[in-house]
Amino acid sequence: MRVFVTGASGWIGSATVDELIAAGHHVVGLARSATSAAALEAKGVEVRRGDLDDLDGIRAGAADAEAVIHLANKHDFNNPAVSASAERAAVQTIGEALAGSGRPFLVASGLVLGVQGRPATEEDESPFHGPDSARGGSENLALSFLDRGVHPVALRFAPTVHGTGDHGFVAELVRVARRTGVAGYIDDGANRWPAVHRSDTARLIRLGLEKAPAGARLHAVAEEGVPARVIAEAIGRAVGVPAASIAADDAPAHFGWIGRFFGIDARASSAGTQELLGWRPEGPTLIEDLDAGAYAHA
């Protein structure tokens, strides 16, 4: 299958590209820099130069593909409106390019759904609608193209997609611990984050492309919820600093932008995804990765 992948050189995208190529798919990757393009070409990827603001290029890449996997995001946490606007525009553009074709359109989404008292499941709809909501309401926008002859699938990634080389949330927490001399958790640290290894995420995306029905919501989750205090204690061991509670009122000053997220309780299940796709997480746990030195680079 000819698959157009945005974010093809990113943390999740690069592993997904490897998984797709190993399965025999022809990958066309969006690359915004010469360095990214060279890395993709070395893997045998057909490169299309551009970025999320190049909507004409994204439209052409989608129209020329048999399937689209949209993983790119600006991730501007200091100005989330910029990220949300770009994300919504890209999803709208891809959806329109695929309208009436029946072709798969897999779109990255998140698992912070505001579900209280239980793990979020694949049956829970995203509460985010419209351009002013988180990620520009891109999941619901993508799924709306089901009524326009597209085969949309939502890829809901755990907040922590971990592994050696990760520069995401956990890496930022490690950097904060190094800078402040404290591996912090908010209040009692009982809130929980789902986690999944990068290799398991890439395999799920490939299976979702090949097997997921239109309109499916897939959960890339291996651990339903790792307590924030346990994460902080593992970071403390890795960095060589003590773990300590940070009052919620002090979290923004201590953690910076990630303080808005680290106190959220966001348990999530992948039972439905595992049953649907026959997917089983096989990679190391988050704490195993931290204890093994996977975040020494951060």
Side-chain angles (χ1 to χ4, degrees):
M1 191 182 300
R2 181 181 176 87
V3 187
F4 178 47
V5 181
T6 72
S9 60
W11 172 240
I12 297 173
S14 57
T16 300
V17 165
D18 293 342
E19 181 76 22
L20 293 172
I21 290 173
H25 297 289
H26 179 86
V27 178
V28 181
L30 186 68
R32 63 181 178 179
S33 71
T35 300
S36 296
L40 291 172
E41 287 173 344
K43 295 181 177 185
V45 174
E46 179 184 336
V47 171
R48 174 176 287 276
R49 291 295 301 273
D51 58 24
L52 275 186
D53 295 321
D54 178 15
L55 296 181
D56 288 341
I58 288 173
R59 182 180 296 106
D64 192 40
E66 294 174 276
V68 177
I69 301 176
H70 175 52
L71 303 175
N73 191 289
K74 289 192 173 184
H75 295 301
D76 188 342
F77 294 109
N78 291 313
N79 192 351
V82 170
S83 293
S85 177
E87 173 71 357
R88 188 172 182 87
V91 169
Q92 183 73 38
T93 297
I94 295 168
E96 290 175 351
L98 298 180
S101 70
R103 286 175 281 175
F105 176 22
L106 281 66
V107 60
S109 188
L111 272 169
V112 181
L113 304 178
V115 175
Q116 301 295 318
R118 61 170 175 81
T121 75
E122 295 86 349
E123 299 300 316
D124 291 311
E125 295 184 6
S126 169
F128 304 118
H129 298 266
D132 297 328
S133 61
R135 301 179 74 102
S138 58
E139 176 181 313
N140 284 314
L141 176 60
L143 292 178
S144 74
F145 278 93
L146 179 63
D147 295 331
R148 296 182 60 184
V150 181
H151 187 112
V153 175
L155 303 169
R156 291 176 171 175
F157 300 140
T160 298
V161 179
H162 57 88
T164 301
D166 174 24
H167 290 277
F169 282 3
V170 172
E172 180 64 17
L173 291 171
V174 171
R175 287 189 285 268
V176 171
R178 291 190 189 280
R179 184 180 72 247
T180 63
V182 173
Y185 51 89
I186 298 174
D187 291 338
D188 64 0
N191 63 292
R192 290 148 294 187
W193 272 19
V196 64
H197 194 266
R198 177 181 180 231
S199 61
D200 289 323
T201 303
R203 188 159 43 85
L204 178 143
I205 293 170
R206 192 258 303 167
L207 288 170
L209 170 68
E210 296 171 347
K211 299 174 64 174
R217 305 181 190 96
L218 305 180
H219 282 196
V221 173
E223 299 177 90
E224 288 193 358
V226 186
R229 181 168 181 166
V230 173
I231 296 172
E233 289 170 345
I235 290 172
R237 292 193 299 273
V239 175
V241 299
S245 173
I246 306 297
D249 289 345
D250 298 330
H254 179 85
F255 290 102
W257 64 264
I258 200 170
R260 301 197 305 270
F261 302 97
F262 196 39
I264 296 173
D265 190 61
R267 285 185 300 155
S269 167
S270 64
T273 299
Q274 293 190 42
E275 181 178 358
L276 179 67
L277 301 181
W279 172 75
R280 298 291 183 272
E282 299 171 354
T285 67
L286 173 58
I287 303 307
E288 287 171 347
D289 258 353
L290 279 162
D291 286 343
Y295 287 84
H297 64 282

